[in-house]
Amino acid sequence: MKSGKIEGVIAEFENPAALIDAAEKMRDSEYTRFDCHSPFPIHGMDKAMGEKRSVLGWIVAPVAFLMVLVGFLFEGWTSTIAYPLVISGKPLFSYQAYGAVAFALMVLTSAGTALFGMLALNKLPRFHHPVFYSDRFAKVTDDAFFVSIEAKDAKFDEKETVEFLKSIGGREIELLIADD
Amino acid sequence: MKFDAAAFKLTDLNSVQVRSLGIGVLGLLLTVVGYFTKTEQFFFSYLTAYLFWVSIALGALFLVLLFHLTGTVWGVTLRRILETLMKVLPYMAIFFIPVLLGAHHLYEWSHVDVVAADPILSKKTSYLNITFFAIRTAFYFTVWYLIAAKLYKTSLAMDGGAKPEHIKTLKKVSAPGMIIFALTTTFASFDWIMSLYPHWYSTIFGLYFFSGGLVGTLTLVIVIGLYMNKRGAMDSVITVEHYHDLAKFTFGFIIFWGYMGFSQYLLIWYANIPEETIFYLDRWRGTWPIITMTVVLGHFLIPFVGLLSRNSKRNYTYLKYMSIFILIMHWVDIFWLVIPVLHTSGVRFCIFDFTAMAGIGGIFMWLFWKQLGKHAAVPMGDPKFEESLKHHNP
Amino acid sequence: MSVSVQETAATTVFEEPPLIGGKPTFSSITEKISGIVEGKTKKAWFVLFGLASSLALILFGSIGFLFYEGIGIWGINNPVGWGWAIVNFVFWVGIGHAGTLISAVLFIFRQKWRTSINRFAEAMTLFAVICALVFPGIHVGRVWMAYFMFPIPNQMQMWPNFRSPLLWDVFAVGTYFTVSLMFWYTGLIPDLATLRDRAKARFRKIMFGIFSLGWRGGNKQWKNYELAYLLLAGLSTPLVLSVHSVVSTDFATSVIPGWHSTIFPPYFVAGAIFSGFAMVLTLAIIARKIYGLEHILTIRHFEKMNMVIMVTGMMVGYAYSMEFFIAWYSGNEYETFTFLNRAFGQYAWAYWIMISCNVLIPQLFWFKKIRTNIPAMFIISIFVNIGMWFERFVITVTSLANDFLPSSWDYFSPTIFDISMLVGSFGLFFSLFLLFIRFLPMVSMAEIKGVLPQADPHYYKKHE
């Protein structure tokens, strides 16, 4: 066994159904800093883990509303105050014509917020994480299902946690130890 | 109203039927007074109300066709309600008779002397004349009847156990049915509404009319569903998940309608050709801007914002009021299309606008409830029915 | 699942066959798709890439000459000021639309069959939009003034004209490209992580490691990821409708008969989806053949795409007939003339190519035999591509060549540079596409796994 600080533990589960069952048991236990890893999102996992709905929508919506307004005002400002010029007999403040650009700005900024907001909520990019100490864990992006518990969890105990994972059906339980 | 959850049948519909019929008959009788007192107003009010209800029945026909073509799962449990609305469509042919009789009051192109003096209108006489107008309308209703009857009958036949032939028939009727639906609805909107201004034209008009009607259908289904649920009927077969999806569709088609309306407006505004701008100028005269802005806000912005969030689509009370609001706005939209031809100087509501709505609406709903009570209220034999009940929104 | 009153023999009759053929497991999907990227480069790839990149060089060469000589090297003349450049622009933007439609709109409508095709349809979008952006870029003539198109504060105190549809284009297409790129990248993250975890060589590991951002596949991440994906899909859906609508306003806000028609925005959108699906089909058939993806891209996927092509083709047909009817109904002699002229005038050949390819030929998809026959659909998809290019040609050129003033009527003939740029743009498109299928997973592994029956936790209870 490698020496070094234990930073967490992972246990493998056979299939999505087993992972869901494990997640439910994790939820009902006192562990909080755990996660269920899978190659694809599993339907019903949020409920099984007791996760709340993502807050991302509440970040994107205000940006969207704000940017429509900004778009309209900016277009109005440039064509009436900053650079008034009559073109094809249209009124300077032709709000009818401003929709397309205001909409494009709104979509652009909200999509950016959705992507970068998602990364921020997931604390990504993060290239260094205890789960990567395990070589087996590489299979999580192929066909393996894992539960991980971080050592920072208040209830974490080297022995007890391993036992607990065993009791909920985990196999190939591995302690995550810094190896470099 | 009672619901037999085993046979999926609605019983004790008497009270709602009698009420609908009562409102309908009373409404029609009051409207007839208008014929004698204010003949022109009578016909315009009648046409508005008529178009409102026809557009809803057409929207139901469209949704049934769409469900069959795409093999939609979630909507199967709602399909009988839609089919019943669609089944009322052929009856609306009878209600067209007053429009035909009043064509002279409604449509400028029916005046031979006016047309003869107008070089543009005289070019159109081969299309815009009373005989051909009547023939076309008769044709629309005939094909709508044929499609609706076939779909309804086959769907009923499945109640006793679905056979692969049923599904095949439904698909076979729906595919060409959709094409016929698109063309007939478009030309119906040209004939009935666009030709109110015989000089005006817009290639998108058919889509505009259709999308507005579809919004009406979806919200009416929500209202009917919630009405039945409140009385303890159908709550096992129409769940919050189905309302959620109906609301999503409503939201989507609100945007679709807005898109059509805005495309038409933007292009006409931008090109600024007098023949076309007349339509919007008439709706910007006197007090008409109030109604125009009501349509923009009430038929697009308010429902758009109001149905944006997930919770708004799943809260019954909220959804009920929002749907009723959108239905009213759909009527305002039709009002906005039709009435400016009559009251050019400014908005004028008339009691007959409302009595005609109640009159045709009452009879429409009476026919609906009568038909719905005759058979199972859901297509219980449909192979996707069970799955539809278990449907979940992520 | 044990429920149901009605689970009779009939239920099984109507059950649809599985989406992914063979007996796929999670790891067989990973193996298949990653294998393409990790394996040796096929000879066919080199041949195709050599061909495509030579054509792309022709494009770059022509553009170079255009910068030197000016846009007079094209066949544009006095009434026809908008020639093939705008035709190609609209054509390529249109192609792009299918990608977003598949990835966003079908996602919102929960159409699971999209998972096999969405990744490379999205990639196709990006490359098509790149090709599209080339043309208005070089069409401005003085490219060094191109920054005028952006609202950049400058010493002349000028601002762009926000009332111009051409400026809307800049914003719409620019946004479209950026958002498509973000959407595509979001979808790629889990798959890049797969490639990272499989990579043997250090360089690959580092590159995929960087771009997969340290993805761990934890549900606390999936939760935000899925919502982000849904939001991006929700934003892309109106965006895709708006982009081609804005492109259509380039024509429709004018007063030119044949251009000014209120149905243009939805009509262009339908046409865009139509042409884009045809292009997806063309590419998918080739890629499937070369890389042996028969289990992942099944005949069922193709059948569904063919139905979309048929439906959108009919929408386009609907728009053609509305335009024609209203041209007569309007009683406007210019409108009437324009449409009769399109059908029977000097460009009648182009018009009838358009009608046959877009309206008549796709009707063959009514027959299930043709809908499920790969060579037949391949040929039809090519016809649709041709037809949709001609549609833009007919719209652009016929309305300009015979305008209000008969004395200035003229006939448009392309020059060698018109042709070299069109052909060259195909080269650019295919070069980019080939690079993509060589280096990135062309099918979304995470999403395919998510629609396999064994991805559903209920699957195991049923099979116990």
Side-chain angles (χ1 to χ4, degrees):
Chain A
M1 183 161 273
K2 290 168 270 184
S3 60
K5 198 171 159 255
I6 297 167
E7 296 195 22
V9 59
I10 54 167
E12 192 176 341
F13 290 84
E14 198 180 347
N15 56 40
L19 194 66
I20 288 251
D21 289 344
E24 280 167 353
K25 285 173 193 144
M26 291 297 302
R27 177 192 63 197
D28 300 336
S29 75
E30 282 162 33
Y31 291 101
T32 47
R33 301 185 67 114
F34 70 93
D35 205 349
C36 300
H37 304 261
S38 55
F40 50 85
I42 297 170
H43 196 71
M45 184 56 96
D46 289 352
K47 217 172 134 196
M49 278 176 69
E51 282 284 312
K52 289 201 193 86
R53 237 177 109 73
S54 173
V55 294
L56 192 57
W58 298 107
I59 304 173
V60 174
V63 172
F65 281 106
L66 187 70
M67 285 313 288
V68 169
L69 203 66
V70 168
F72 264 97
L73 291 179
F74 177 70
E75 289 176 74
W77 174 73
T78 57
S79 36
T80 53
I81 298 164
Y83 190 48
L85 195 64
V86 176
I87 296 167
S88 70
K90 296 274 179 287
L92 289 177
F93 188 70
S94 303
Y95 57 90
Q96 296 94 336
Y98 296 160
V101 172
F103 176 76
L105 277 176
M106 183 276 278
V107 172
L108 185 65
T109 49
S110 340
T113 313
L115 172 58
F116 293 106
M118 181 271 282
L119 293 179
L121 289 174
N122 284 345
K123 302 199 178 63
L124 292 177
R126 175 175 178 182
F127 298 110
H128 182 272
H129 192 274
V131 292
F132 292 135
Y133 295 146
S134 160
D135 290 335
R136 293 187 59 79
F137 190 75
K139 280 189 62 88
V140 75
T141 54
D142 179 10
D143 65 344
F145 303 87
F146 292 96
V147 167
S148 69
I149 304 175
E150 288 179 38
K152 283 179 194 152
D153 195 300
K155 236 201 137 227
F156 186 84
D157 176 88
E158 194 182 329
K159 253 196 179 146
E160 260 176 47
T161 308
V162 169
E163 280 307 311
F164 177 72
L165 284 171
K166 238 178 229 164
S167 74
I168 61 172
R171 303 173 311 161
E172 310 282 349
I173 295 162
E174 192 180 335
L175 290 168
L176 301 168
I177 302 167
D179 50 5
D180 49 7
Chain B
M1 186 182 301
K2 279 200 189 103
F3 184 57
D4 177 355
F8 300 110
K9 212 162 160 7
L10 283 167
T11 46
D12 279 356
L13 285 170
N14 265 340
S15 71
V16 65
Q17 283 171 7
V18 168
R19 238 177 299 150
S20 305
L21 186 64
I23 292 170
V25 171
L26 191 70
L28 286 181
L29 284 177
L30 283 172
T31 317
V32 169
V33 176
Y35 177 74
F36 296 105
T37 53
K38 281 173 155 179
T39 315
E40 287 245 300
Q41 176 68 51
F42 162 79
F43 282 116
F44 275 90
S45 300
Y46 184 87
L47 182 67
T48 309
Y50 178 76
L51 288 168
F52 176 88
W53 291 102
V54 167
S55 71
I56 283 180
L58 280 170
L61 174 59
F62 170 80
L63 283 173
V64 173
L65 290 167
L66 186 77
F67 284 2
H68 287 316
L69 284 176
T70 54
T72 307
V73 174
W74 71 268
V76 171
T77 180
L78 298 163
R79 210 181 64 218
R80 189 52 51 78
I81 296 175
L82 290 167
E83 282 165 348
T84 313
L85 284 173
M86 159 187 98
K87 198 77 185 13
V88 182
L89 182 58
Y91 295 107
M92 297 311 279
I94 302 161
F95 285 89
F96 191 75
I97 295 168
V99 177
L100 202 58
L101 295 176
H104 209 63
H105 297 279
L106 291 165
Y107 301 103
E108 194 190 350
W109 49 260
S110 62
H111 296 255
V112 181
D113 49 329
V114 176
V115 172
D118 188 318
I120 289 186
L121 290 191
S122 37
K123 277 191 203 168
K124 304 189 186 187
T125 45
S126 58
Y127 186 81
L128 293 180
N129 61 71
I130 293 283
T131 324
F132 194 27
F133 180 76
I135 293 172
R136 283 198 305 271
T137 301
F139 174 76
Y140 306 147
F141 276 105
T142 313
V143 292
W144 292 338
Y145 166 72
L146 291 173
I147 297 168
K150 186 74 189 166
L151 291 175
Y152 192 78
K153 218 178 102 192
T154 318
S155 176
L156 279 189
M158 283 205 299
D159 284 359
K163 295 196 192 80
E165 299 93 88
H166 293 143
I167 305 283
K168 254 187 211 152
T169 314
L170 287 170
K171 289 218 168 191
K172 271 213 175 111
V173 175
S174 300
M178 190 61 110
I179 300 170
I180 295 167
F181 168 83
L183 290 173
T184 46
T185 307
T186 305
F187 279 96
S189 73
F190 287 173
D191 290 354
W192 299 343
I193 313 175
M194 203 166 88
S195 78
L196 286 168
Y197 284 89
H199 288 98
W200 186 72
Y201 52 87
S202 170
T203 41
I204 207 172
F205 196 78
L207 291 170
Y208 179 86
F209 173 69
F210 150 75
S211 52
L214 194 52
V215 170
T217 314
L218 290 161
T219 44
L220 184 66
V221 172
I222 294 177
V223 173
I224 291 174
L226 289 172
Y227 177 84
M228 291 193 293
N229 285 174
K230 200 172 176 193
R231 278 149 192 81
M234 305 275 280
D235 43 5
S236 53
V237 286
I238 311 177
T239 66
V240 66
E241 303 296 336
H242 302 111
Y243 288 111
H244 188 173
D245 267 331
L246 277 172
K248 273 194 217 167
F249 259 66
T250 311
F251 178 73
F253 278 102
I254 284 281
I255 297 174
F256 188 77
W257 174 91
Y259 172 58
M260 296 300 162
F262 184 68
S263 299
Q264 176 172 287
Y265 171 68
L266 178 75
L267 295 176
I268 289 177
W269 170 80
Y270 210 112
N272 212 2
I273 299 172
E275 284 155 285
E276 293 183 344
T277 47
I278 174 95
F279 180 83
Y280 288 104
L281 280 176
D282 275 359
R283 282 156 185 74
W284 205 251
R285 198 171 286 144
T287 39
W288 277 109
I290 300 168
I291 298 295
T292 308
M293 291 320 289
T294 308
V295 172
V296 174
L297 290 174
H299 206 296
F300 178 71
L301 266 177
I302 293 172
F304 174 80
V305 177
L307 289 174
L308 203 53
S309 86
R310 181 182 162 92
N311 291 343
S312 66
K313 301 188 191 92
R314 297 172 78 91
N315 181 327
Y316 282 9
T317 322
Y318 178 84
L319 197 57
K320 184 176 85 185
Y321 288 113
M322 184 49 94
S323 302
I324 292 172
F325 174 75
I326 296 173
L327 269 175
I328 294 170
M329 282 305 138
H330 176 49
W331 176 78
V332 175
D333 181 30
I334 304 265
F335 180 85
W336 177 82
L337 286 174
V338 174
I339 303 294
V341 181
L342 176 69
H343 299 302
T344 43
S345 54
V347 194
R348 218 174 312 151
F349 289 102
C350 178
I351 182 75
F352 303 119
D353 293 333
F354 307 104
T355 57
M357 268 300 284
I360 302 178
I363 303 290
F364 186 98
M365 291 315 292
W366 172 66
L367 290 166
F368 170 80
W369 289 116
K370 240 174 90 100
Q371 191 68 35
L372 194 65
K374 277 188 195 160
H375 307 280
V378 288
M380 58 180 194
D382 194 291
K384 294 200 206 76
F385 177 57
E386 285 300 323
E387 214 185 327
S388 164
L389 291 187
K390 280 181 295 196
H391 165 67
H392 255 279
N393 278 294
Chain C
M1 278 166 263
S2 59
V3 243
S4 101
V5 209
Q6 288 278 325
E7 198 150 9
T8 50
T11 326
T12 45
V13 173
F14 303 116
E15 234 167 53
E16 295 197 330
L19 274 171
I20 310 297
K23 286 235 178 310
T25 61
F26 296 134
S27 66
S28 78
I29 300 285
T30 317
E31 202 55 49
K32 179 80 218 169
I33 311 295
S34 308
I36 295 169
V37 183
E38 291 159 353
K40 275 188 104 177
T41 313
K42 294 203 179 230
K43 264 211 189 88
W45 189 89
F46 279 114
V47 175
L48 289 173
F49 187 72
L51 203 73
S53 51
S54 333
L55 290 178
L57 283 180
I58 294 179
L59 174 70
F60 296 140
S62 310
I63 291 175
F65 184 62
L66 180 115
F67 288 170
Y68 173 76
E69 186 72 24
I71 56 168
I73 63 170
W74 285 333
I76 45 179
N77 55 32
N78 201 341
V80 189
W82 266 7
W84 281 23
I86 198 82
V87 176
N88 297 344
F89 165 70
V90 182
F91 173 74
W92 280 117
V93 175
I95 297 283
H97 277 55
T100 319
L101 187 93
I102 291 168
S103 53
V105 182
L106 297 186
F107 179 76
I108 287 176
F109 281 102
R110 296 191 281 265
Q111 298 287 319
K112 286 182 175 173
W113 59 277
R114 68 182 264 290
T115 51
S116 291
I117 46 172
N118 71 332
R119 170 69 48 72
F120 75 74
E122 285 164 36
M124 184 201 71
T125 296
L126 291 175
F127 307 142
V129 176
I130 289 174
C131 289
L133 284 170
V134 166
F135 288 99
I138 58 177
H139 195 285
V140 294
R142 283 173 278 179
V143 257
W144 49 94
M145 300 292 199
Y147 72 92
F148 274 24
M149 290 188 284
F150 303 100
I152 305 166
N154 54 56
Q155 79 281 12
M156 296 165 283
Q157 304 215 336
M158 288 194 316
W159 289 98
N161 172 21
F162 284 108
R163 282 159 289 176
S164 164
L166 299 175
L167 192 78
W168 305 346
D169 254 6
V170 175
F171 279 83
V173 183
T175 299
Y176 186 42
F177 180 77
T178 321
V179 173
S180 302
L181 187 66
M182 290 198 268
F183 197 24
W184 186 63
Y185 181 64
T186 306
L188 265 171
I189 293 172
D191 281 8
L192 291 173
T194 304
L195 291 174
R196 168 198 70 197
D197 290 342
R198 287 170 57 92
K200 302 268 183 318
R202 192 166 169 75
F203 178 71
R204 282 179 78 83
K205 214 170 180 70
I206 291 172
M207 288 314 286
F208 285 124
I210 290 172
F211 284 106
S212 61
L213 308 172
W215 180 256
R216 302 190 295 278
N219 192 60
K220 287 178 181 168
Q221 293 183 332
W222 279 123
K223 177 184 81 171
N224 293 321
Y225 176 90
E226 280 195 285
L227 187 63
Y229 201 82
L230 180 67
L231 285 171
L232 284 169
L235 288 164
S236 303
T237 302
L239 180 66
V240 73
L241 300 182
S242 83
V243 172
H244 228 56
S245 303
V246 165
V247 170
S248 82
T249 59
D250 292 348
F251 300 95
T253 53
S254 70
V255 291
I256 309 280
W259 283 13
H260 177 68
S261 177
T262 49
I263 206 173
F264 256 43
Y267 153 43
F268 266 48
V269 172
I273 294 163
F274 178 57
S275 67
F277 260 84
M279 188 58 102
V280 174
L281 196 59
T282 315
L283 295 173
I285 290 170
I286 300 172
R288 174 186 195 252
K289 186 88 199 139
I290 295 180
Y291 290 103
L293 293 171
E294 280 84 358
H295 288 324
I296 288 166
L297 281 166
T298 61
I299 207 79
R300 256 189 82 206
H301 293 105
F302 287 132
E303 196 182 351
K304 296 210 184 242
M305 285 200 266
N306 291 337
M307 286 188 185
V308 175
I309 290 179
M310 185 166 77
V311 170
T312 46
M314 278 188 277
M315 289 182 190
V316 171
Y318 171 88
Y320 294 160
S321 35
M322 280 313 115
E323 283 194 306
F324 229 106
F325 173 73
I326 294 289
W328 172 81
Y329 176 86
S330 69
N332 179 324
E333 55 184 304
Y334 300 103
E335 287 280 338
T336 317
F337 166 78
T338 300
F339 281 89
L340 288 178
N341 184 46
R342 276 185 186 176
F344 307 108
Q346 55 184 352
Y347 290 106
W349 56 275
Y351 183 83
W352 292 107
I353 290 177
M354 165 185 111
I355 293 285
S356 338
C357 293
N358 295 347
V359 184
L360 302 179
I361 292 176
Q363 301 304 322
L364 289 170
F365 283 145
W366 281 99
F367 304 103
K368 197 177 170 85
K369 269 214 174 113
I370 293 176
R371 227 158 47 209
T372 51
N373 181 315
I374 303 245
M377 65 176 93
F378 185 73
I379 294 167
I380 292 174
S381 75
I382 302 273
F383 271 122
V384 171
N385 282 318
I386 296 171
M388 283 309 290
W389 188 87
F390 271 96
E391 180 195 294
R392 280 64 176 251
F393 177 80
V394 167
I395 294 170
T396 309
V397 175
T398 59
S399 284
L400 289 175
N402 306 100
D403 63 358
F404 296 104
L405 198 64
S407 62
S408 63
W409 289 2
D410 205 345
Y411 190 78
F412 174 90
S413 310
T415 64
I416 181 79
F417 292 104
D418 282 306
I419 297 163
S420 72
M421 285 189 190
L422 172 60
V423 175
S425 67
F426 274 93
L428 178 62
F429 177 73
F430 284 111
S431 303
L432 292 168
F433 196 79
L434 285 162
L435 286 172
F436 156 70
I437 58 175
R438 183 67 201 90
F439 293 109
L440 289 171
M442 73 172 111
V443 177
S444 174
M445 292 182 271
E447 285 191 56
I448 289 266
K449 288 173 194 167
V451 300
L452 289 183
Q454 59 263 44
D456 182 2
H458 297 296
Y459 170 86
Y460 299 91
K461 296 195 174 103
K462 198 163 44 167
H463 287 78
E464 257 160 25

